[in-house]
Amino acid sequence: MNPVYLRGRALISALGASLPEALECISAGGRGLRRIELADGTNWPYFSIDHSGPDWRIRAQQLVCAAASEAGLETVRNAPLFVASSSLDIGAIEAGLVRSGDSHDFAEEIAGWLDWTGPVYLVSSACTSSLQAILSASGFINSGRVNDAVVMGVELANRYSVSGFAAMQLLTPGQPKPMGLDRDGIALGEAVSVLHLSVQPARWRFCGGSNIVDGRDPTGAIPETVSEMCARALKASGLQASDIDLIKLQAAGSPVNDANELAGLAAAFGTLPPLVTFKAAIGHTLGASGAAEIALLTACLEANVWPRQDYLPDPHLCAVLAHPEAGSVHYVLADILGFGGGHAAVILEDTSAHMRSGIPGSARHG
Amino acid sequence: MDSMTWKITGRTSGGICSGSEPPDNWREQLAVRLGYRPRRIGVLAELALFGALDCLDAAGETTLPADTMLQVCSLRGSFSAILQVLEQNREGLPMPFSFLQSQTSQLLPALAAALKWQGDAGIVLARNPVELAVLACQQAGSGGMLLGWVEEPRPASSCWLRLVPCVSPTASFVAASSLMELASPDTHYWRLSREGVEVAPGPG
């Protein structure tokens, strides 16, 4: 089975127009929330990208091309491209730019902007879309079918998602506080994120992962399924729970979902490793969130820069968000839970860690 | 058993995989099959349930093994529900169930709940059905796969195939180039090849 490495990455988010800008912004204390107003007169916090364009589609094209350039995709345009998105181009439809065809047109439009010649897939499984795309792309590389594959998470401004989440009473009126004492909901955000997966060695290796849909709750996480997701991801990666040095949480600030996630993780891990979350910094970027948060996670680990947590943690969750020391993390599990009963996780290895620790090879098991 | 060869053990009946629309009374048939009338899941999810359960009935299965992969393609998705939500948005907040129904991925928990199953499932789109078949074959576990192509009216469609790993038959395989070939009643086997997916007829 061929290994899968993270060869290139990019992120455009509320934190800035690139990953270096995002790290700079985090170091400076993060960026203030903006708000988006709905037709009923209410307005909601929103992590928007600071970029204006003449219309929705041209803005989307500019952001997609900028992210592709940051990730250095010029030489892999014949690779499979997995576009991961929940809201697709609904923002354009809202703006009166009518969709002429079907949902896949949006992925093909993105491919056209990038002069892509490889096969184009659209993964639209709500919040877990990006992680599912990573698992699919990894499968292609694992099998030797291709040497490269690209995952692009795209979630751009629209009122459809905000109003829907508002109608379901899932949004916070203020600041999202993942795992916080008085957390009262999530805030949505925009992101364009790129992960270039390759058989070519690089610092980060995708070890494996899992994806489970559980129909018992179509809108949230179930603790036992979170545990099962971890067990399957560890098995696929040839690892044990004790190997995981860090967990990148879904945690978005939901009173119930954050607690369910922690309960499931506690059952899977016993003593929890350090935990991090990015949704207080970039919001919940829905279908793009898996790729966006992995891009940011790996960049933060390399730079030892972490978002500030300026709210009290919930002591009932018995979990403290951490700022891991540079070099202390060998294996990290990143999960995304969400709408559609989705529970997905991937495990990454910092292949430079064994050189620091003296552990031979790139995996401790298998 | 060859991990790259699959046998089709079930498919949606009534020529739906050959381009026919579901029968006019498909909703009534679904309610009879389920023993209840599905509520508030939306027409796309109902169509998915209709086709998937019919396919599994043909396969003689009431649920799926844990390591089965469930992959659904819907090029138009829940577009009628999305338009409804956008209309509601012009006046105020949408109805919560309207918003949920506008999420194409909501058909996945509806299917999982109906099958009392949990596992690897996703909404994946590709213009070329063979590319989707390649992706599914690449990822399918020992439980095989349940693949669906579902579109809401008009024209409605809900074509499903159940495939399980099998020993490679002594049959002539030819490259498939369309959903019609992948799902044809004459097609009994799939084999993953370097170029794509090849299909073969059954014995005799």
Side-chain angles (χ1 to χ4, degrees):
Chain A
M1 193 166 86
N2 288 338
V4 181
Y5 295 94
L6 178 58
R7 190 75 179 161
R9 67 190 177 202
L11 175 64
I12 303 175
S13 69
L15 293 175
S18 65
L19 271 170
E21 273 193 29
L23 294 177
E24 212 172 291
C25 182
I26 288 172
S27 298
R31 182 161 289 167
L33 265 172
R34 296 179 183 180
R35 300 189 78 83
I36 190 166
E37 188 168 337
L38 302 180
D40 68 345
T42 58
N43 67 80
W44 300 90
Y46 193 66
F47 288 87
S48 55
I49 294 172
D50 188 12
H51 181 94
S52 57
D55 68 36
W56 194 95
R57 287 197 189 281
I58 294 173
R59 179 177 183 263
Q61 180 177 4
Q62 291 168 345
L63 293 170
V64 162
C65 291
S69 175
E70 184 188 356
L73 302 183
E74 294 81 6
T75 60
V76 291
R77 287 180 178 137
N78 61 347
L81 171 66
F82 292 85
V83 175
S85 180
S86 181
S87 61
L88 310 176
D89 57 350
I90 285 175
I93 298 168
E94 285 175 353
L97 302 169
V98 178
R99 180 191 287 171
S100 57
D102 53 43
S103 301
H104 199 258
D105 279 356
F106 181 52
E108 289 171 336
E109 194 172 13
I110 287 173
W113 295 338
L114 301 175
D115 294 325
W116 209 264
T117 58
V120 180
Y121 296 94
L122 173 64
V123 184
S124 193
S125 303
C127 313
T128 56
S129 299
S130 285
L131 290 195
Q132 284 189 34
I134 290 170
L135 295 174
S136 294
S138 297
F140 268 148
I141 296 173
N142 284 150
S143 68
R145 194 168 195 88
V146 298
N147 290 330
D148 297 273
V150 172
V151 172
M152 175 173 277
V154 182
E155 209 67 51
L156 292 171
N158 67 85
R159 287 181 167 76
Y160 160 85
S161 301
V162 178
S163 66
F165 277 76
M168 298 192 71
Q169 302 184 331
L170 296 172
L171 296 183
T172 174
Q175 179 82 25
K177 297 169 185 167
M179 301 290 166
L181 175 60
D182 52 355
R183 65 189 184 280
D184 57 1
I186 71 176
L188 301 183
E190 291 185 281
V192 178
S193 49
V194 178
L195 302 177
H196 170 193
L197 279 56
S198 175
V199 74
Q200 294 295 320
R203 177 165 176 174
W204 295 96
R205 183 176 72 90
F206 285 95
C207 308
S210 64
N211 172 51
I212 303 176
V213 167
D214 189 322
R216 287 177 292 172
D217 183 349
T219 61
I222 296 172
E224 309 92 81
T225 314
V226 172
S227 296
E228 179 65 19
M229 167 196 80
C230 293
R232 291 192 193 186
L234 288 164
K235 186 179 176 193
S237 304
L239 296 169
Q240 297 170 3
S242 58
D243 292 322
I244 301 299
D245 304 305
L246 178 70
I247 296 175
K248 193 289 300 166
L249 299 166
Q250 154 70 19
S254 156
V256 176
N257 229 40
D258 287 11
N260 284 352
E261 180 180 15
L262 249 291
L265 291 173
F269 284 89
T271 304
L272 283 170
L275 309 170
V276 293
T277 171
F278 292 106
K279 290 192 174 68
I282 63 170
H284 188 350
T285 59
L286 300 177
S289 60
E293 294 177 18
I294 284 174
L296 192 53
L297 168 70
T298 52
C300 285
L301 278 164
E302 290 169 18
N304 200 21
V305 169
W306 297 97
R308 194 172 57 199
Q309 184 191 339
D310 52 2
Y311 54 87
L312 292 173
D314 182 348
H316 298 103
L317 297 180
C318 301
V320 179
L321 298 175
H323 293 174
E325 292 289 314
S328 66
V329 173
H330 189 183
Y331 292 103
V332 53
L333 180 145
D335 77 64
I336 294 288
L337 314 169
F339 259 32
H343 303 67
V346 297
I347 295 176
L348 291 120
E349 176 192 16
D350 182 350
T351 59
S352 69
H354 75 269
M355 289 185 272
R356 292 192 300 271
S357 66
I359 300 169
S362 61
R364 294 175 202 171
H365 304 278
Chain B
M1 194 160 67
D2 180 346
S3 64
M4 292 292 130
T5 306
W6 289 266
K7 180 178 185 181
I8 297 177
T9 57
R11 76 187 85 222
T12 312
S13 61
I16 293 172
C17 291
S18 306
S20 300
E21 285 201 60
D24 290 343
N25 68 341
W26 68 267
R27 273 194 152 118
E28 286 68 32
Q29 287 188 29
L30 175 61
V32 170
R33 171 64 180 77
L34 285 171
Y36 59 89
R37 192 171 288 278
R39 297 182 67 230
R40 295 174 165 173
I41 61 171
V43 66
L44 191 73
E46 289 181 25
L47 268 166
L49 279 176
F50 170 76
L53 293 175
D54 186 48
C55 171
L56 287 177
D57 284 347
E61 292 178 289
T62 54
T63 186
L64 294 168
D67 57 352
T68 305
M69 200 197 58
L70 195 167
Q71 181 176 287
V72 185
C73 175
S74 179
L75 290 171
R76 296 201 302 273
S78 308
F79 198 60
S80 61
I82 289 172
L83 291 178
Q84 188 182 19
V85 169
L86 293 177
E87 186 61 38
Q88 291 171 359
N89 273 356
R90 292 191 189 99
E91 307 296 324
L93 293 182
M95 300 301 289
F97 280 111
S98 299
F99 179 66
L100 276 179
Q101 288 172 15
S102 74
Q103 303 282 310
T104 303
S105 60
Q106 283 293 316
L107 68 82
L108 300 176
L111 279 165
L115 297 174
K116 296 181 174 59
W117 169 86
Q118 57 170 238
D120 185 3
I123 304 289
V124 188
L125 281 61
R127 184 69 63 200
N128 181 351
V130 178
E131 286 177 355
L132 275 181
V134 168
L135 185 67
C137 291
Q138 203 72 75
Q139 290 190 273
S142 60
M145 46 193 151
L146 177 63
L147 308 180
W149 284 265
V150 186
E151 301 295 346
E152 62 181 27
R154 295 254 164 216
S157 176
S158 189
C159 166
W160 290 79
L161 298 173
R162 174 77 175 110
L163 298 104
V164 296
C166 70
V167 175
S168 192
T170 52
S172 302
F173 280 86
V174 295
S177 62
S178 66
L179 179 57
M180 211 74 102
E181 289 172 2
L182 289 168
S184 161
D186 296 330
T187 298
H188 287 253
Y189 297 98
W190 284 14
R191 185 169 71 188
L192 185 63
S193 71
R194 190 72 213 166
E195 289 73 33
V197 169
E198 297 171 331
V199 295

